[in-house]
Amino acid sequence: MQRIIKNGIVVIFSSFLLSACSFSFIYNHLDWWSNWYLDDYVTLSQEQQKTFDTTFNELHTWHRRTQLSEYSRQLITLKDQVNRGITAEEVNGQLVNIKQHWLAVREQAKPALISLVHTLSSRQRKQVVDEIANNNEERLDDYDELSQEQWLNETCIERQDQFKKWLGKLTESQKIEVCQLTKSLAPTFNHRMDYRIKWHSGLKQVLAMGLDRQEYEVMFTELISEPESLKSEQHKTLSKNNSDTSVKIFHIMMNSLTDKQLNRFNNKLDDLIEDLKELAINT
């Protein structure tokens, strides 16, 4: 259920890929999206549903009142940095801030999440565990194993498309640059699945009916707050490499913008900043 809240609020951090219109719509209807997502994992009783709705609405209100203004300030800073020539250190700082935003949401949601999950019956707990296992199996079944060259080609196209949404048409040199830098990225699907399976195993232990409340809270808190401990050293190394490479790609691209691309970027960023300000006020 941690993933339910994460996938709801993390819409904010996906806004770089969304239009301002869709961003506002999704944010204002997060309660609907969260319930739709929740239904895939567990069927709550009427009382539990009421508790979940109240808890999520409180989290959503807290987020609107305290976090959206932080996001708009960060984007204003990003705009200033890009227009004067953003440094690699500043790009990395932006990424660090995004991660801190998620941690703030996670910690705010954690106490209520732990309490709500503790109310699940043995049947509901089994439903959650089974649905996550099914989800993992579907991911594995749907995954098409690609050669390194195929994966890099697809990743290059995906990165180019992401930039196109904000910059418009890329120059030939920019396209080549993105593909060249993408070669430093490494696929992590198998590592991420190993992590998901370990997390699922940990959740099964947390949801064991024999645990007393204190044991349950300690174990669930660790599972929520220290997920990195479940990742292999190779996974952490590859993730760090991919993060550093992404910073490099963004840094180089943002310093190679044409006047037309910069103007488009500024306009789209201004729209998103205005959206965030309006959403923050509209409580």
Side-chain angles (χ1 to χ4, degrees):
M1 291 179 71
Q2 178 195 8
R3 199 171 290 118
I4 295 166
I5 291 179
K6 181 177 181 179
N7 277 273
I9 302 298
V10 84
V11 167
I12 296 296
F13 308 139
S14 303
S15 62
F16 196 79
L17 308 179
L18 295 170
S19 69
C21 178
S22 61
F23 170 76
S24 295
F25 177 82
I26 291 175
Y27 189 84
N28 280 325
H29 294 83
L30 277 180
D31 55 344
W32 184 88
W33 290 105
S34 65
N35 274 293
W36 176 77
Y37 194 82
L38 176 66
D39 286 343
D40 285 346
Y41 287 90
V42 66
T43 303
L44 298 181
S45 68
Q46 189 173 14
E47 188 62 31
Q48 288 170 330
Q49 185 65 56
K50 186 184 299 183
T51 300
F52 176 82
D53 291 342
T54 299
T55 299
F56 191 88
N57 287 337
E58 289 174 351
L59 178 64
H60 195 191
T61 299
W62 165 83
H63 187 268
R64 188 190 293 271
R65 289 176 175 172
T66 67
Q67 302 302 294
L68 294 187
S69 57
E70 295 293 324
Y71 304 164
S72 61
R73 278 194 287 271
Q74 181 176 344
L75 292 178
I76 290 170
T77 299
L78 174 62
K79 180 184 175 183
D80 291 340
Q81 291 170 338
V82 169
N83 278 268
R84 63 167 168 71
I86 192 168
T87 66
E89 291 74 18
E90 288 170 336
V91 175
N92 192 60
Q94 289 283 341
L95 185 60
V96 169
N97 286 340
I98 289 174
K99 292 177 180 177
Q100 289 301 316
H101 293 325
W102 158 237
L103 292 179
V105 174
R106 186 186 72 187
E107 293 307 303
Q108 181 70 18
K110 186 168 63 177
L113 176 63
I114 290 174
S115 295
L116 176 60
V117 173
H118 193 260
T119 69
L120 298 181
S121 66
S122 58
R123 180 185 61 80
Q124 289 172 316
R125 294 180 185 211
K126 183 178 185 303
Q127 184 183 5
V128 171
V129 169
D130 289 348
E131 288 300 329
I132 292 176
N134 291 337
N135 187 280
N136 286 341
E137 289 178 8
E138 288 177 5
R139 285 172 180 262
L140 288 168
D141 290 341
D142 293 342
Y143 180 65
D144 293 326
E145 192 74 47
L146 302 176
S147 68
Q148 181 72 1
E149 183 178 2
Q150 288 173 323
W151 183 84
L152 288 173
N153 285 337
E154 286 198 4
T155 304
C156 171
I157 293 171
E158 289 173 0
R159 292 299 178 103
Q160 289 178 351
D161 287 343
Q162 289 173 7
F163 282 111
K164 286 177 185 176
K165 289 178 181 179
W166 279 78
L167 306 178
K169 185 177 180 180
L170 303 184
T171 66
E172 288 304 314
S173 61
Q174 287 172 334
K175 292 178 184 179
I176 293 172
E177 190 74 59
V178 170
C179 287
Q180 277 298 120
L181 294 169
T182 297
K183 292 180 180 179
S184 296
L185 295 172
T188 58
F189 176 82
N190 291 330
H191 294 285
R192 285 184 282 114
M193 288 309 304
D194 286 344
Y195 160 74
R196 289 175 67 93
I197 290 169
K198 287 179 182 177
W199 195 92
H200 175 250
S201 178
L203 182 64
K204 287 174 66 176
Q205 296 179 45
V206 167
L207 297 184
M209 292 301 292
L211 294 177
D212 62 33
R213 178 64 183 254
Q214 184 175 3
E215 289 176 312
Y216 160 80
E217 289 186 355
V218 170
M219 291 177 65
F220 203 6
T221 297
E222 182 177 355
L223 192 64
I224 294 172
S225 299
E226 301 177 25
E228 288 293 314
S229 65
L230 300 177
K231 297 180 180 180
S232 68
E233 289 305 313
Q234 187 178 14
H235 187 186
K236 293 176 185 177
T237 299
L238 290 175
S239 296
K240 176 66 166 56
N241 169 76
N242 288 350
S243 178
D244 291 345
T245 300
S246 295
V247 165
K248 186 175 182 179
I249 293 173
F250 188 85
H251 171 238
I252 291 176
M253 285 295 293
M254 290 297 103
N255 282 283
S256 69
L257 302 185
T258 64
D259 290 343
K260 186 176 181 179
Q261 289 171 335
L262 182 59
N263 185 59
R264 178 184 170 94
F265 175 79
N266 286 336
N267 289 337
K268 291 182 75 68
L269 207 56
D270 285 341
D271 288 342
L272 182 53
I273 291 168
E274 187 61 29
D275 252 16
L276 286 169
K277 290 179 177 179
E278 290 181 2
L279 288 168
I281 294 172
N282 187 25
T283 56

